[in-house]
């Protein structure tokens, strides 16, 4: 009703608690006219807008909001307080930035950090972009070196969305591993879990070695600085093999490494990737290669020490000459963004992605069929964006009954509180 700072009693500068009594003294002026009382607005304040008589509708929301802003910025308490002036200025600057950013994204599209050319991540990003464009969500897939660069692009604002494994996202959020020099990425958010990514350790078919027998061998861990490399090093360490001490590290892209393995120039190739992985499927069809199973005790140690890893299996028949299931570990591919994305944008994007269904597979992504609302919150290692959380909650409520997840997997989701 127009109470000023001096007419409010009971506000504690250190913060009020439930049950505190706060009294606000204010006044309203009325004038008697034709035997009726009508309210008189004091200076710098306006009465609530009545609906238009012609249509019964109120003024457009933008006009009413701008009128409210004008009331705030010209009010006596505001102009008499430098602190209030600073608060209003900061909030207005933030609002203008968010409005401009959202309008630009609406017009130009959302830069989507995918992965290397012809890689699984880029193919998935292109499939998503193809599907979501039909739902008026324009995404621009970007060719990158992989998950580490994807997160760096998010941090610098050069990408709005990105793909990365859950374990790499956790490192970025905490500022560890390849992101140690950057510090924690507290603004990092996820739109949901997409599909599982499993660790593959590939050797030649004619060799009868186990993982422990790779001691002293040449092992490709991927390009230097790649995100999955840290996880592969942890997997090998769980088997007693340490980089540069027990084996020689080969820095090479995955597809090049498969060629080197086939030519017997190196002894093993490693990769964490969704299944069925197109480059692995092609290589195993054309060459005599096989995938090594992880030792049970090593798997147990890995999932105990790393909350982003799950005990998984590569199903029998996934690749050529692979009839039996292969025990391994894996994580989830996450669709990432930042807290700068508005709630409405995140909700719209999650709806577009998780309603895509089998269209993703038809659009060219072998992993597309695995994207589901029922698994959208598995292995969330960074906070979920509240807009995506709301969208997934609504979709789960209207979808088929949700599958019961193992307790150890359910505990691996981080709350957005």
């Amino acid at each position: 009703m127009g109470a000023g700072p001096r007419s409010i009693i009971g506000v504690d500068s250190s913060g009020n608690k439930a049950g505190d009594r706060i009294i606000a003294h204010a006044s309203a002026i009325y004038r008697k006219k034709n035997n009726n009382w009508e309210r008189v607005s004091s200076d710098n304040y306006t009465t609530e807008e009545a609906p238009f008589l012609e249509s019964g509708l109120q003024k457009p929301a933008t006009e009413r909001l701008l009128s409210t802003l004008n009331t705030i910025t010209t009010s006596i308490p505001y102009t008499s307080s430098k602190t209030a002036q600073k608060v209003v200025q900061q909030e207005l600057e933030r609002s203008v930035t968010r409005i401009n950013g959202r309008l630009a994204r609406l017009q130009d599209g959302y830069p989507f950090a995918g992965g290397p050319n012809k890689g699984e991540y880029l193919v998935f990003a292109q499939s998503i972009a193809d599907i979501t464009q039909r739902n008026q969500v324009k995404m621009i897939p970007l060719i990158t070196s992989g998950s580490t660069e994807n997160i760096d692009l998010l941090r610098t604002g050069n990408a709005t969305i990105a793909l990365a494994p859950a374990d790499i996202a956790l490192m970025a959020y905490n500022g560890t591993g390849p992101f140690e020099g950057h510090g924690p990425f507290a603004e990092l958010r996820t739109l949901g879990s997409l599909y599982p990514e499993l660790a593959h350790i590939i050797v030649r078919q004619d060799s009868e070695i186990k993982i422990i027998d790779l001691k002293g061998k040449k092992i490709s861990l991927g390009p230097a600085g790649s995100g999955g490399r840290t996880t592969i090093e942890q997997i090998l360490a769980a088997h007693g093999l340490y980089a540069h001490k027990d084996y020689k590290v080969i820095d090479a892209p995955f597809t090049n490494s498969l060629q080197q393995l086939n030519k017997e120039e190196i002894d093993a190739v490693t990769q964490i990737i969704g299944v069925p992985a197109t480059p692995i499927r092609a290589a195993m069809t054309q060459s005599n290669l096989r995938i090594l199973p992880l030792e049970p005790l090593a798997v147990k140690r890995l999932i105990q020490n790393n909350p982003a890893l799950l005990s998984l299996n590569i199903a029998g028949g996934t690749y050529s000459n692979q009839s039996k299931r292969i025990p391994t570990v894996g994580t989830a591919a996450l669709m990432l963004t930042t807290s700068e994305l508005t709630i409405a944008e995140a909700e719209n994007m999650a709806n577009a992605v998780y309603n895509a269904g089998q269209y993703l597979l038809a659009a060219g992504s072998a992993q597309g069929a695995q994207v589901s609302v029922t698994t959208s919150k598995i292995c969330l290692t960074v906070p979920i964006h509240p807009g995506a959380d709301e969208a997934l909650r609504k979709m789960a409520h209207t979808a088929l009954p949700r599958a019961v997840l193992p307790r150890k997997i359910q505990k691996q989701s981080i709350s957005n509180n």
Side-chain angles (χ1 to χ4, degrees):
M1 295 178 66
R6 296 183 181 180
S7 58
I8 300 178
I9 302 171
V11 176
D12 189 342
S13 61
S14 62
N16 284 85
K17 300 177 181 178
D20 287 355
R21 187 178 183 186
I22 299 175
I23 301 174
H25 295 284
S27 63
I29 303 172
Y30 287 82
R31 178 187 295 120
K32 191 172 183 180
K33 184 178 181 181
N34 298 328
N35 294 322
N36 290 317
W37 290 95
E38 63 179 17
R39 184 175 175 182
V40 179
S41 298
S42 56
D43 291 341
N44 298 320
Y45 289 90
T46 58
T47 56
E48 184 177 352
E49 290 287 346
F52 290 156
L53 296 178
E54 298 85 359
S55 62
L57 300 175
Q58 288 187 325
K59 290 183 179 180
T62 52
E63 187 174 338
R64 287 187 282 110
L65 289 171
L66 288 173
S67 177
T68 302
L69 278 176
N70 183 63
T71 298
I72 294 172
T73 56
T74 58
S75 65
I76 294 175
Y78 162 69
T79 54
S80 62
S81 168
K82 290 184 178 180
T83 301
Q85 291 177 2
K86 188 174 182 179
V87 168
V88 173
Q89 179 182 339
Q90 289 175 343
E91 292 302 322
L92 285 175
E93 289 174 348
R94 185 179 304 171
S95 296
V96 168
T97 300
R98 290 174 72 86
I99 290 170
N100 284 336
R102 189 170 176 184
L103 288 174
R105 293 191 292 269
L106 185 65
Q107 180 177 352
D108 302 326
Y110 297 86
F112 189 173
N117 191 28
K118 298 182 180 180
E120 301 294 314
Y121 269 6
L122 185 62
V123 172
F124 185 86
Q126 291 169 336
S127 300
I128 286 281
D130 181 52
I131 299 300
T132 57
Q133 190 167 7
R134 305 173 194 175
N135 294 283
Q136 309 304 314
V137 179
K138 185 179 180 182
M139 299 182 182
I140 313 298
L142 305 178
I143 297 176
T144 71
S145 61
S147 56
T148 302
E149 184 183 358
N150 290 356
I151 292 176
D152 287 339
L153 289 171
L154 279 181
R155 191 191 295 264
T156 59
N158 291 315
T160 307
I161 321 160
L163 297 175
D167 56 337
I168 306 305
L170 180 60
M171 293 180 200
Y173 187 74
N174 293 329
T176 59
F179 308 98
E180 190 171 0
H182 298 285
F185 190 0
E187 298 79 20
L188 189 62
R189 298 290 182 270
T190 180
L191 295 171
S193 177
L194 298 171
Y195 55 84
E197 295 188 291
L198 284 67
H200 294 65
I201 299 178
I202 307 166
V203 297
R204 288 183 294 276
Q205 180 71 41
D206 54 9
S207 66
E208 298 181 359
I209 60 175
K210 300 178 181 179
I211 293 182
I212 193 64
D213 299 323
L214 291 173
K215 187 172 184 178
K217 305 294 185 181
K218 298 177 182 178
I219 305 177
S220 172
L221 303 184
S226 61
R229 182 171 180 148
T230 303
T231 306
I232 290 294
E233 287 180 352
Q234 292 175 0
I235 293 172
L236 293 174
H239 290 80
L241 302 175
Y242 296 89
H244 306 293
K245 177 184 176 182
D246 298 307
Y247 58 90
K248 183 177 180 180
V249 175
I250 303 299
D251 302 322
F254 181 55
T255 51
N256 292 354
S257 297
L258 287 173
Q259 296 174 4
Q260 290 178 303
L261 178 64
N262 192 43
K263 295 177 182 178
E264 300 187 17
E265 297 174 354
I266 59 177
D267 301 290
V269 177
T270 62
Q271 179 75 310
I272 297 178
I273 194 170
V275 293
T278 302
I280 296 178
R281 185 166 53 185
M284 293 186 70
T285 300
Q286 299 169 6
S287 309
N288 292 319
L289 304 177
R290 66 186 177 95
I291 302 171
L292 296 179
L294 271 59
E295 297 295 332
L297 288 178
V299 171
K300 185 177 180 180
R301 282 194 293 268
L302 286 164
I303 62 176
Q304 286 177 343
N305 297 331
N306 191 336
L309 293 181
L310 308 172
S311 176
L312 300 172
N313 295 293
I314 301 174
T318 301
Y319 302 108
S320 299
N321 304 319
Q322 181 240 321
S323 58
K324 297 181 180 180
R325 68 179 181 87
I326 301 173
T328 185
V329 294
T331 188
L334 301 183
M335 196 165 183
L336 300 172
T337 186
T338 70
S339 55
E340 287 299 310
L341 196 70
T342 68
I343 289 178
E345 287 177 297
E347 187 170 357
N348 191 29
M349 202 169 292
N351 276 320
V353 171
Y354 288 95
N355 281 321
Q358 295 295 326
Y359 291 114
L360 284 170
L361 181 62
S365 172
Q367 287 76 34
Q370 301 173 55
V371 177
S372 169
V373 174
T374 59
T375 56
S376 60
K377 293 188 177 181
I378 292 179
C379 208
L380 299 187
T381 52
V382 300
I384 187 169
H385 194 292
D389 194 28
E390 178 65 13
L392 293 173
R393 184 191 65 79
K394 291 177 181 177
M395 283 187 278
H397 183 70
T398 57
L400 293 173
R402 181 167 178 164
V404 177
L405 302 176
R407 183 181 299 272
K408 64 181 179 181
I409 293 181
Q410 290 176 331
K411 288 182 178 180
Q412 292 176 349
S413 294
I414 291 182
S415 171
N416 65 323
N417 292 334

